[in-house]
Amino acid sequence: MRVNCIINGKNRSFDVDASMRLRELLELNGNIAVRDSDDNEGFCGSDTVLVDGVPVYANLVLAGEVEGCEIRTPDGLADSRHLTVIQQAMIDAGVVQSAYNAPAAALLLTWLLENNPNPSKEEIKDALSGIFIRDAGYEHYYLAVKLAREKMESGEYKTAPAPSFRENLKIVGKPASKIDGPQLVAGEKAFVEDFVDPHSCYMVVLRSPHASAYINSIDTSEAEKVEGVVKILTAYNTPDTHYMQAGQGNPEPSPHDRRLFNLKVRHVGDRVAAVIAETKEAAEQARDLIKVSYEVLPAVFTVEEAMAEGAPLVHNGIVEYRSGAPADLDEYNSKAGDPREGKVIYQFPLHADIHKNIAASNKGGIGDIEKAFREADAVVERTYQTSQIQHTPLEPHVCFAKMEAGRLVVVASTQVPYHVRRIVGWVTGLPENKIHVIKTRVGGGYGSKQDILVEDLVGYASYVTGKPIYYRNTREEEFIANSTRHPMRVHVKMSGKKDGTITGIFMEVCANTGPYGNHCLTVPMNSCSKTLPLFKCENMYYDLKVYYTNTPPAGAYQGYGTPKGTYGLMMAMAELSEALGCDYKEMVLKNHVEEGYMLEILKGLGEGREGNVVPVGSCGLREAVLKGCDMIQWGKKEVSDDPDWKIGKGFAMIMQGSGLPGLDHSEAIAKLETDGTVILNSGGADLGTGLDTISAKICSEVLCMPLEKITVVSGDTDSCAFDTGAYASSGTFFSGNASLEAAKLLKSMILKEAAFQLGEKEEDMFLVEPGAVKSKATGKVLTYAELSHTACSGTGHGQMIAHGNFVTAASSVPYGAHFAQVAVNVRTGEIKVQKFYALQDAGTPINPEIALCQMYGAVMKSIGHSLYEDMKLDKNGKCINANMTDYGVPMITEAPEDFKSVLIDVNDDYGPFGAKSISEIACNGAAPAIGMAIHDACGVWLRDWPMTPEKILKGLGKI
Amino acid sequence: MAEKLIIAQSIEEAVSLKDSSSIFLAGGTEVNRLDSPCQAEVLVSIGRIGMDLIDETDAEIDCLKGKKKGRFIRVGAMCTFQELVDSFSVPDYLREACLFMSSRTKRNMATIGGNIASARDDSYLLSTLIACGAAVELNCKGKKHVYGVCRYLKEKKNYPDSLITAVLLPKKEMTVASKRYANTASSHAAVTVSVSYSDGKYRVGAAVKNAGVRRLVEVEDLINAGPVSDEEISKAVKLDLTDDMFGSAKYKRYLLGVTVTDLMKKVGGKK
């Protein structure tokens, strides 16, 4: 049918079919900012447009229905060089981060202010009620509206978007526009889907309906007859190469326990076949024609089932070691099962035992724990259980790959471009110089894009077919075929004295890694290594085991295992304080570490090797606790007017790391261009968190030049130098420090060259703004443009190029404390988070407005994990809530009524300009703070996630 | 996946186009959503046929227990949730029920008629409409019927080609209150309960996930007879409740009991 409409003021006419969605029509029209993140669920709001002035979800409107309508799309607001006041205010408020939904949010706020120039907080909340924001939270959207209104009314902001830090610095520590903000908020090309070549092939994956089964045969004959099918990949025509998908330093502390396709499927959703076809429809049709014969096997879904005597084994093949093989390996392998089990290959021993479903284990500690328990005034012993959580990035896992000039080009939404290159190299057999990974903007990662979950297959498929291939997970596949947060059982035994001294802590952690061992050691290790060092306790012991099961896979998730370890330890500490009759706050103040305290516990807590024993460095923990207690009025009992609602308070100490000392590695190359501008090639992977802006600001600060004269190119394996990637909170500390090293070296090169060109002494040279060298001796000034032009003029020394390389053994640990006030309805079990205060020491926050939003976003995620989110499996291991509506992510409606993020001002000795990490740590506090507050409100200890109204009612004995 | 989309220009055209191969397409939030059970070869879009006025009318409605006459607020079936939220012509209780749909963007699309026709067990509106004694005006192949909502839900399958053209809300002294329980505001509801008080009697509607949506006459009989406890109300509920991902049967039953009691307090009436 023919449809005539007006799109962003222009008359348009299309032929559409009955099933075409308005979003698809707009995509055809080039309105790429109208995106899809929920497969027509009408939930996330990435597809928001205005039809005749009313916001609607374009995926829920058929194209044939818009005849005669006027449509406005986010990209119709402005281009990146001419942003609207609202778009700019969003950047300045810090909410434009991974930004997959930023254009849609800009459209909604534009619509709001056009119709209501002076909206209340409730009206802003209502306008944003249909849009899901996972990265930056919602709090600074209110600020963005305020800033925009101020600018509209008076031509300038009256409100500072964020506090500033470090008076001696010009740009570091000050709010400044995120350098990729304009591109992102305007909805311009940014994400993988925007860079797919026309006429590329499409790939779809056939997935296992069984949680555990051997594949007897796969018949693709009918599927191959479908017109347009290019290739069908299965276990029978792909390499017998065992590898793993975790993006970690090489050699990895994760077992190589999978192939591209296995002959044993190990979870519902596991790969069985991939169809590459000229169209998506042909690929889907062919997929439905593939016939697979399975031998269904019994499965295990919990650690309790996995550890049971005689439990079905998830892996029962041959075990190999790249190093450190045990002497009895041949005997061990004599018990291997069916050849279809494949292999498990360890890079080094992980203390695993696949015959007991143990993927990895570790234990250790300090002091005499049994003596501590014997001599204590009170001992509590509790078990805490966390659930399986999905990252739900708005942009699903997606990849485009093609062969170009004999090389494989992989366009990826990844946190780890260099690990992608290495692992794609393994499965294709190509050397790294034949693979070019291009990281685009990342529309939400949160750890899930630290794993190479689609690039391996898409890269291989493109390599063997020679075709350009595009693949994108459905939302359901995001749940069933991706990595998730490990469910964990954290058993804590803690002892103390009546004066509040904690004398002993024992943690037993049982983690569920699912069918494959991505991050199976490192994530659970964090539940101990990023929690026990909070305590000034001489007797601490940990024992962790990680089990294979047949659930959807687990992997990296923002915070790794720390949110779960923190939940267990802090809740147990609160329970111990109750048993001892001590005030919890006083107990915290008595037992937390302080600067200089030697962390002996770290010795056994390395990532697969011995850890560094170091003293506590910069530490804002005590200030965070004291300030937060004042803010929430700790000790004051709040009373509701409604007797059914009881109010309580809780808080938790938190810590994380800033990358992995001794393991992480970052590099950057700073080049002075011939006009005096700088291009910084950073190996770092900005996943929306502002890392590129950090690199640019560092460069700007060191080189005394404006931010706009610095361009950062990052995440491109051809043009940038190696970086381990953005995980473990390494971005600011490692990649930022590499940029700092490069900038410092470029500065010294500039001074030296200026001295040469001026014929003066190098020690008389110094940098002046805006990008020039001045002589103390003669007062002469040489601009960078003049300097560089001469150097590259044919007779000079050539272009100034500085290479920064950063590795360290130093740890810069961020600390903080999170506070919650909740109301619990003792009649219905309902829980409301009334107040949440997040106080964190991030060292020098280089981008303070972005840092605050990352705290809001991470807290919102962990409120979701604590109260709502839970992947539910049926008895056959199928996830029954694999969609956004039933899964339960928090939206603006779930945000605390009073929500504050506060940056504690502490300078760090090792971070770039004193900076530490900010984002991951913010995932750690909500669960224990809320759990304690619930107990304070109604007397019920909820020891498992999610903490639901039904569990409250059970705890109260009402059901 | 639909093969044909027809944009009806009038009620008459829409009704004449409807047959077993087609379904009506109203706001699109149900028919066009992921995994919708509402699938057909032909979609008859009713977005252009009006049916979006709010006025008053006298009507005689067919209920399960006979006919009733009265004065009604007549709400066009294509009124969106947000139009109802913004309207001064509809009772507060309907506005409150429309706000159970937390997404403003979705409220801009979803229609009152579409929500009733989809008859979901997590419906945003049906328990409220049942409690207030609302009726639906149907056009069935040109013939007009006015059925009480309960009767419509019970006999819906007998009128597969009927189009809801309007919803009738009793224009009389009445208080209505509703309560919705869901994991998050954007999740599907586990339980929605509504209680009205009018003419000295309580009326109760409920939508319970995987158990259905209906008037709880057994509860009404109990609470209209005299003071009762939460537990007695819980026990009286004859819905076939199940353990599922929305909660245990025990939990849902408990909620029904306490919520009916709470809503009775809210709507006033007998002590």
PDB file of all heavy atoms in Angstrom, chain A residues 826-829 948-959, chain B residues 231 234 247-256 258:
ATOM      1  N   VAL A 826       3.821  -3.835  56.031  1.00  0.00           N
ATOM      2  CA  VAL A 826       3.794  -5.129  56.728  1.00  0.00           C
ATOM      3  C   VAL A 826       2.497  -5.883  56.465  1.00  0.00           C
ATOM      4  O   VAL A 826       2.345  -7.035  56.887  1.00  0.00           O
ATOM      5  CB  VAL A 826       4.004  -4.950  58.253  1.00  0.00           C
ATOM      6  CG1 VAL A 826       5.412  -4.481  58.529  1.00  0.00           C
ATOM      7  CG2 VAL A 826       2.983  -3.992  58.846  1.00  0.00           C
ATOM      8  N   ARG A 827       1.588  -5.259  55.761  1.00  0.00           N
ATOM      9  CA  ARG A 827       0.333  -5.934  55.415  1.00  0.00           C
ATOM     10  C   ARG A 827       0.407  -6.578  54.034  1.00  0.00           C
ATOM     11  O   ARG A 827      -0.106  -7.670  53.808  1.00  0.00           O
ATOM     12  CB  ARG A 827      -0.784  -4.880  55.441  1.00  0.00           C
ATOM     13  CG  ARG A 827      -2.137  -5.413  55.585  1.00  0.00           C
ATOM     14  CD  ARG A 827      -3.091  -4.315  56.011  1.00  0.00           C
ATOM     15  NE  ARG A 827      -4.412  -4.614  55.485  1.00  0.00           N
ATOM     16  CZ  ARG A 827      -5.172  -5.591  55.932  1.00  0.00           C
ATOM     17  NH1 ARG A 827      -4.759  -6.354  56.925  1.00  0.00           N
ATOM     18  NH2 ARG A 827      -6.354  -5.805  55.391  1.00  0.00           N
ATOM     19  N   THR A 828       1.090  -5.894  53.116  1.00  0.00           N
ATOM     20  CA  THR A 828       1.149  -6.399  51.733  1.00  0.00           C
ATOM     21  C   THR A 828       2.562  -6.833  51.331  1.00  0.00           C
ATOM     22  O   THR A 828       2.734  -7.432  50.271  1.00  0.00           O
ATOM     23  CB  THR A 828       0.706  -5.308  50.747  1.00  0.00           C
ATOM     24  OG1 THR A 828       1.609  -4.201  50.863  1.00  0.00           O
ATOM     25  CG2 THR A 828      -0.721  -4.848  51.029  1.00  0.00           C
ATOM     26  N   GLY A 829       3.533  -6.491  52.135  1.00  0.00           N
ATOM     27  CA  GLY A 829       4.916  -6.840  51.812  1.00  0.00           C
ATOM     28  C   GLY A 829       5.587  -5.879  50.848  1.00  0.00           C
ATOM     29  O   GLY A 829       6.773  -6.029  50.541  1.00  0.00           O
ATOM     30  N   THR A 948      11.647  -9.771  47.759  1.00  0.00           N
ATOM     31  CA  THR A 948      10.314  -9.491  47.222  1.00  0.00           C
ATOM     32  C   THR A 948       9.275  -9.329  48.328  1.00  0.00           C
ATOM     33  O   THR A 948       9.477  -9.784  49.460  1.00  0.00           O
ATOM     34  CB  THR A 948       9.861 -10.649  46.318  1.00  0.00           C
ATOM     35  OG1 THR A 948       9.755 -11.828  47.131  1.00  0.00           O
ATOM     36  CG2 THR A 948      10.830 -10.886  45.175  1.00  0.00           C
ATOM     37  N   PRO A 949       8.149  -8.741  47.985  1.00  0.00           N
ATOM     38  CA  PRO A 949       7.050  -8.636  48.953  1.00  0.00           C
ATOM     39  C   PRO A 949       6.622 -10.006  49.478  1.00  0.00           C
ATOM     40  O   PRO A 949       6.313 -10.143  50.664  1.00  0.00           O
ATOM     41  CB  PRO A 949       5.931  -7.978  48.133  1.00  0.00           C
ATOM     42  CG  PRO A 949       6.644  -7.173  47.109  1.00  0.00           C
ATOM     43  CD  PRO A 949       7.868  -7.978  46.756  1.00  0.00           C
ATOM     44  N   GLU A 950       6.617 -11.003  48.600  1.00  0.00           N
ATOM     45  CA  GLU A 950       6.202 -12.334  49.047  1.00  0.00           C
ATOM     46  C   GLU A 950       7.149 -12.857  50.125  1.00  0.00           C
ATOM     47  O   GLU A 950       6.711 -13.471  51.117  1.00  0.00           O
ATOM     48  CB  GLU A 950       6.145 -13.302  47.856  1.00  0.00           C
ATOM     49  CG  GLU A 950       5.634 -14.669  48.258  1.00  0.00           C
ATOM     50  CD  GLU A 950       5.310 -15.580  47.080  1.00  0.00           C
ATOM     51  OE1 GLU A 950       5.448 -15.141  45.917  1.00  0.00           O
ATOM     52  OE2 GLU A 950       4.908 -16.728  47.327  1.00  0.00           O
ATOM     53  N   LYS A 951       8.441 -12.618  49.955  1.00  0.00           N
ATOM     54  CA  LYS A 951       9.408 -13.078  50.970  1.00  0.00           C
ATOM     55  C   LYS A 951       9.233 -12.308  52.276  1.00  0.00           C
ATOM     56  O   LYS A 951       9.426 -12.853  53.364  1.00  0.00           O
ATOM     57  CB  LYS A 951      10.832 -12.932  50.436  1.00  0.00           C
ATOM     58  CG  LYS A 951      11.160 -13.919  49.321  1.00  0.00           C
ATOM     59  CD  LYS A 951      12.518 -13.651  48.698  1.00  0.00           C
ATOM     60  CE  LYS A 951      12.737 -14.553  47.499  1.00  0.00           C
ATOM     61  NZ  LYS A 951      13.931 -14.171  46.721  1.00  0.00           N
ATOM     62  N   ILE A 952       8.892 -11.035  52.176  1.00  0.00           N
ATOM     63  CA  ILE A 952       8.606 -10.247  53.394  1.00  0.00           C
ATOM     64  C   ILE A 952       7.440 -10.888  54.144  1.00  0.00           C
ATOM     65  O   ILE A 952       7.502 -11.094  55.369  1.00  0.00           O
ATOM     66  CB  ILE A 952       8.228  -8.794  53.016  1.00  0.00           C
ATOM     67  CG1 ILE A 952       9.412  -8.081  52.377  1.00  0.00           C
ATOM     68  CG2 ILE A 952       7.663  -8.047  54.232  1.00  0.00           C
ATOM     69  CD1 ILE A 952      10.275  -7.280  53.281  1.00  0.00           C
ATOM     70  N   LEU A 953       6.384 -11.185  53.398  1.00  0.00           N
ATOM     71  CA  LEU A 953       5.189 -11.748  54.042  1.00  0.00           C
ATOM     72  C   LEU A 953       5.505 -13.105  54.674  1.00  0.00           C
ATOM     73  O   LEU A 953       5.017 -13.414  55.766  1.00  0.00           O
ATOM     74  CB  LEU A 953       4.054 -11.875  53.023  1.00  0.00           C
ATOM     75  CG  LEU A 953       3.498 -10.533  52.514  1.00  0.00           C
ATOM     76  CD1 LEU A 953       2.514 -10.762  51.376  1.00  0.00           C
ATOM     77  CD2 LEU A 953       2.827  -9.747  53.635  1.00  0.00           C
ATOM     78  N   LYS A 954       6.337 -13.880  53.983  1.00  0.00           N
ATOM     79  CA  LYS A 954       6.744 -15.166  54.570  1.00  0.00           C
ATOM     80  C   LYS A 954       7.556 -14.925  55.843  1.00  0.00           C
ATOM     81  O   LYS A 954       7.373 -15.605  56.851  1.00  0.00           O
ATOM     82  CB  LYS A 954       7.569 -15.978  53.567  1.00  0.00           C
ATOM     83  CG  LYS A 954       6.700 -16.696  52.550  1.00  0.00           C
ATOM     84  CD  LYS A 954       7.542 -17.523  51.594  1.00  0.00           C
ATOM     85  CE  LYS A 954       6.667 -18.169  50.539  1.00  0.00           C
ATOM     86  NZ  LYS A 954       7.396 -18.561  49.342  1.00  0.00           N
ATOM     87  N   GLY A 955       8.462 -13.973  55.766  1.00  0.00           N
ATOM     88  CA  GLY A 955       9.281 -13.655  56.938  1.00  0.00           C
ATOM     89  C   GLY A 955       8.457 -13.176  58.106  1.00  0.00           C
ATOM     90  O   GLY A 955       8.804 -13.409  59.271  1.00  0.00           O
ATOM     91  N   LEU A 956       7.391 -12.497  57.795  1.00  0.00           N
ATOM     92  CA  LEU A 956       6.502 -12.002  58.862  1.00  0.00           C
ATOM     93  C   LEU A 956       5.521 -13.074  59.327  1.00  0.00           C
ATOM     94  O   LEU A 956       4.717 -12.834  60.226  1.00  0.00           O
ATOM     95  CB  LEU A 956       5.709 -10.778  58.350  1.00  0.00           C
ATOM     96  CG  LEU A 956       6.529  -9.496  58.122  1.00  0.00           C
ATOM     97  CD1 LEU A 956       5.682  -8.465  57.372  1.00  0.00           C
ATOM     98  CD2 LEU A 956       7.019  -8.912  59.443  1.00  0.00           C
ATOM     99  N   GLY A 957       5.577 -14.219  58.679  1.00  0.00           N
ATOM    100  CA  GLY A 957       4.685 -15.316  59.057  1.00  0.00           C
ATOM    101  C   GLY A 957       3.251 -15.121  58.597  1.00  0.00           C
ATOM    102  O   GLY A 957       2.329 -15.734  59.132  1.00  0.00           O
ATOM    103  N   LYS A 958       3.073 -14.278  57.587  1.00  0.00           N
ATOM    104  CA  LYS A 958       1.695 -14.007  57.140  1.00  0.00           C
ATOM    105  C   LYS A 958       1.239 -14.949  56.047  1.00  0.00           C
ATOM    106  O   LYS A 958       0.037 -15.042  55.777  1.00  0.00           O
ATOM    107  CB  LYS A 958       1.576 -12.554  56.685  1.00  0.00           C
ATOM    108  CG  LYS A 958       1.889 -11.588  57.830  1.00  0.00           C
ATOM    109  CD  LYS A 958       1.293 -10.227  57.637  1.00  0.00           C
ATOM    110  CE  LYS A 958       1.454  -9.423  58.926  1.00  0.00           C
ATOM    111  NZ  LYS A 958       0.841  -8.121  58.877  1.00  0.00           N
ATOM    112  N   ILE A 959       2.139 -15.572  55.374  1.00  0.00           N
ATOM    113  CA  ILE A 959       1.750 -16.599  54.389  1.00  0.00           C
ATOM    114  C   ILE A 959       2.645 -17.818  54.575  1.00  0.00           C
ATOM    115  O   ILE A 959       3.708 -17.731  55.179  1.00  0.00           O
ATOM    116  CB  ILE A 959       1.847 -16.118  52.922  1.00  0.00           C
ATOM    117  CG1 ILE A 959       3.237 -15.600  52.567  1.00  0.00           C
ATOM    118  CG2 ILE A 959       0.800 -15.064  52.657  1.00  0.00           C
ATOM    119  CD1 ILE A 959       3.396 -15.268  51.090  1.00  0.00           C
TER     120      ILE A 959
ATOM    121  N   GLU B 231      -8.672 -13.183  56.264  1.00  0.00           N
ATOM    122  CA  GLU B 231      -8.534 -14.620  56.031  1.00  0.00           C
ATOM    123  C   GLU B 231      -9.819 -15.203  55.456  1.00  0.00           C
ATOM    124  O   GLU B 231      -9.790 -16.045  54.551  1.00  0.00           O
ATOM    125  CB  GLU B 231      -8.185 -15.364  57.322  1.00  0.00           C
ATOM    126  CG  GLU B 231      -6.811 -15.072  57.883  1.00  0.00           C
ATOM    127  CD  GLU B 231      -6.706 -13.704  58.539  1.00  0.00           C
ATOM    128  OE1 GLU B 231      -7.756 -13.116  58.921  1.00  0.00           O
ATOM    129  OE2 GLU B 231      -5.570 -13.189  58.632  1.00  0.00           O
ATOM    130  N   SER B 234      -9.978 -14.239  51.868  1.00  0.00           N
ATOM    131  CA  SER B 234      -9.025 -15.045  51.098  1.00  0.00           C
ATOM    132  C   SER B 234      -9.581 -16.425  50.808  1.00  0.00           C
ATOM    133  O   SER B 234      -9.508 -16.924  49.685  1.00  0.00           O
ATOM    134  CB  SER B 234      -7.720 -15.207  51.882  1.00  0.00           C
ATOM    135  OG  SER B 234      -7.061 -14.000  51.978  1.00  0.00           O
ATOM    136  N   GLY B 247       4.218 -15.290  41.446  1.00  0.00           N
ATOM    137  CA  GLY B 247       4.054 -15.491  42.880  1.00  0.00           C
ATOM    138  C   GLY B 247       3.324 -16.792  43.152  1.00  0.00           C
ATOM    139  O   GLY B 247       2.732 -17.401  42.253  1.00  0.00           O
ATOM    140  N   SER B 248       3.357 -17.198  44.409  1.00  0.00           N
ATOM    141  CA  SER B 248       2.682 -18.449  44.759  1.00  0.00           C
ATOM    142  C   SER B 248       1.170 -18.219  44.848  1.00  0.00           C
ATOM    143  O   SER B 248       0.704 -17.085  45.017  1.00  0.00           O
ATOM    144  CB  SER B 248       3.203 -18.957  46.102  1.00  0.00           C
ATOM    145  OG  SER B 248       2.800 -18.066  47.127  1.00  0.00           O
ATOM    146  N   ALA B 249       0.454 -19.311  44.740  1.00  0.00           N
ATOM    147  CA  ALA B 249      -1.001 -19.227  44.882  1.00  0.00           C
ATOM    148  C   ALA B 249      -1.354 -18.681  46.267  1.00  0.00           C
ATOM    149  O   ALA B 249      -2.288 -17.884  46.424  1.00  0.00           O
ATOM    150  CB  ALA B 249      -1.608 -20.611  44.678  1.00  0.00           C
ATOM    151  N   LYS B 250      -0.578 -19.085  47.245  1.00  0.00           N
ATOM    152  CA  LYS B 250      -0.812 -18.641  48.620  1.00  0.00           C
ATOM    153  C   LYS B 250      -0.669 -17.119  48.729  1.00  0.00           C
ATOM    154  O   LYS B 250      -1.465 -16.442  49.384  1.00  0.00           O
ATOM    155  CB  LYS B 250       0.227 -19.329  49.510  1.00  0.00           C
ATOM    156  CG  LYS B 250      -0.167 -19.511  50.931  1.00  0.00           C
ATOM    157  CD  LYS B 250       0.875 -20.411  51.598  1.00  0.00           C
ATOM    158  CE  LYS B 250       0.556 -20.639  53.037  1.00  0.00           C
ATOM    159  NZ  LYS B 250       1.555 -21.463  53.695  1.00  0.00           N
ATOM    160  N   TYR B 251       0.350 -16.620  48.097  1.00  0.00           N
ATOM    161  CA  TYR B 251       0.613 -15.171  48.107  1.00  0.00           C
ATOM    162  C   TYR B 251      -0.537 -14.412  47.447  1.00  0.00           C
ATOM    163  O   TYR B 251      -1.053 -13.427  47.995  1.00  0.00           O
ATOM    164  CB  TYR B 251       1.932 -14.919  47.379  1.00  0.00           C
ATOM    165  CG  TYR B 251       2.269 -13.486  47.053  1.00  0.00           C
ATOM    166  CD1 TYR B 251       2.415 -12.541  48.055  1.00  0.00           C
ATOM    167  CD2 TYR B 251       2.471 -13.084  45.736  1.00  0.00           C
ATOM    168  CE1 TYR B 251       2.751 -11.223  47.752  1.00  0.00           C
ATOM    169  CE2 TYR B 251       2.813 -11.780  45.421  1.00  0.00           C
ATOM    170  CZ  TYR B 251       2.954 -10.855  46.431  1.00  0.00           C
ATOM    171  OH  TYR B 251       3.293  -9.553  46.119  1.00  0.00           O
ATOM    172  N   LYS B 252      -0.960 -14.909  46.293  1.00  0.00           N
ATOM    173  CA  LYS B 252      -2.030 -14.205  45.568  1.00  0.00           C
ATOM    174  C   LYS B 252      -3.335 -14.249  46.373  1.00  0.00           C
ATOM    175  O   LYS B 252      -4.060 -13.256  46.439  1.00  0.00           O
ATOM    176  CB  LYS B 252      -2.206 -14.838  44.186  1.00  0.00           C
ATOM    177  CG  LYS B 252      -1.028 -14.549  43.257  1.00  0.00           C
ATOM    178  CD  LYS B 252      -1.246 -15.216  41.919  1.00  0.00           C
ATOM    179  CE  LYS B 252      -0.029 -15.916  41.421  1.00  0.00           C
ATOM    180  NZ  LYS B 252      -0.219 -16.734  40.260  1.00  0.00           N
ATOM    181  N   ARG B 253      -3.588 -15.387  46.945  1.00  0.00           N
ATOM    182  CA  ARG B 253      -4.818 -15.514  47.748  1.00  0.00           C
ATOM    183  C   ARG B 253      -4.772 -14.557  48.945  1.00  0.00           C
ATOM    184  O   ARG B 253      -5.752 -13.879  49.269  1.00  0.00           O
ATOM    185  CB  ARG B 253      -4.991 -16.964  48.222  1.00  0.00           C
ATOM    186  CG  ARG B 253      -6.294 -17.252  48.939  1.00  0.00           C
ATOM    187  CD  ARG B 253      -6.512 -18.736  49.151  1.00  0.00           C
ATOM    188  NE  ARG B 253      -6.753 -19.473  47.916  1.00  0.00           N
ATOM    189  CZ  ARG B 253      -7.903 -19.474  47.247  1.00  0.00           C
ATOM    190  NH1 ARG B 253      -8.933 -18.777  47.702  1.00  0.00           N
ATOM    191  NH2 ARG B 253      -8.037 -20.167  46.133  1.00  0.00           N
ATOM    192  N   TYR B 254      -3.608 -14.493  49.584  1.00  0.00           N
ATOM    193  CA  TYR B 254      -3.447 -13.589  50.726  1.00  0.00           C
ATOM    194  C   TYR B 254      -3.706 -12.144  50.286  1.00  0.00           C
ATOM    195  O   TYR B 254      -4.422 -11.385  50.952  1.00  0.00           O
ATOM    196  CB  TYR B 254      -2.034 -13.743  51.303  1.00  0.00           C
ATOM    197  CG  TYR B 254      -1.703 -12.691  52.333  1.00  0.00           C
ATOM    198  CD1 TYR B 254      -2.064 -12.858  53.666  1.00  0.00           C
ATOM    199  CD2 TYR B 254      -1.045 -11.524  51.974  1.00  0.00           C
ATOM    200  CE1 TYR B 254      -1.781 -11.875  54.616  1.00  0.00           C
ATOM    201  CE2 TYR B 254      -0.758 -10.542  52.906  1.00  0.00           C
ATOM    202  CZ  TYR B 254      -1.124 -10.721  54.224  1.00  0.00           C
ATOM    203  OH  TYR B 254      -0.848  -9.749  55.152  1.00  0.00           O
ATOM    204  N   LEU B 255      -3.088 -11.772  49.151  1.00  0.00           N
ATOM    205  CA  LEU B 255      -3.254 -10.392  48.676  1.00  0.00           C
ATOM    206  C   LEU B 255      -4.712 -10.061  48.403  1.00  0.00           C
ATOM    207  O   LEU B 255      -5.182  -8.957  48.693  1.00  0.00           O
ATOM    208  CB  LEU B 255      -2.443 -10.169  47.394  1.00  0.00           C
ATOM    209  CG  LEU B 255      -0.934  -9.992  47.536  1.00  0.00           C
ATOM    210  CD1 LEU B 255      -0.319  -9.712  46.173  1.00  0.00           C
ATOM    211  CD2 LEU B 255      -0.576  -8.876  48.517  1.00  0.00           C
ATOM    212  N   LEU B 256      -5.425 -11.014  47.820  1.00  0.00           N
ATOM    213  CA  LEU B 256      -6.845 -10.766  47.542  1.00  0.00           C
ATOM    214  C   LEU B 256      -7.584 -10.445  48.843  1.00  0.00           C
ATOM    215  O   LEU B 256      -8.395  -9.516  48.894  1.00  0.00           O
ATOM    216  CB  LEU B 256      -7.462 -11.984  46.854  1.00  0.00           C
ATOM    217  CG  LEU B 256      -7.063 -12.160  45.382  1.00  0.00           C
ATOM    218  CD1 LEU B 256      -7.359 -13.586  44.908  1.00  0.00           C
ATOM    219  CD2 LEU B 256      -7.779 -11.150  44.494  1.00  0.00           C
ATOM    220  N   VAL B 258      -6.388  -9.284  51.923  1.00  0.00           N
ATOM    221  CA  VAL B 258      -6.065  -8.011  52.579  1.00  0.00           C
ATOM    222  C   VAL B 258      -6.448  -6.831  51.707  1.00  0.00           C
ATOM    223  O   VAL B 258      -6.862  -5.778  52.210  1.00  0.00           O
ATOM    224  CB  VAL B 258      -4.569  -7.915  52.965  1.00  0.00           C
ATOM    225  CG1 VAL B 258      -4.215  -8.967  54.004  1.00  0.00           C
ATOM    226  CG2 VAL B 258      -3.661  -8.000  51.762  1.00  0.00           C
TER     227      VAL B 258
END
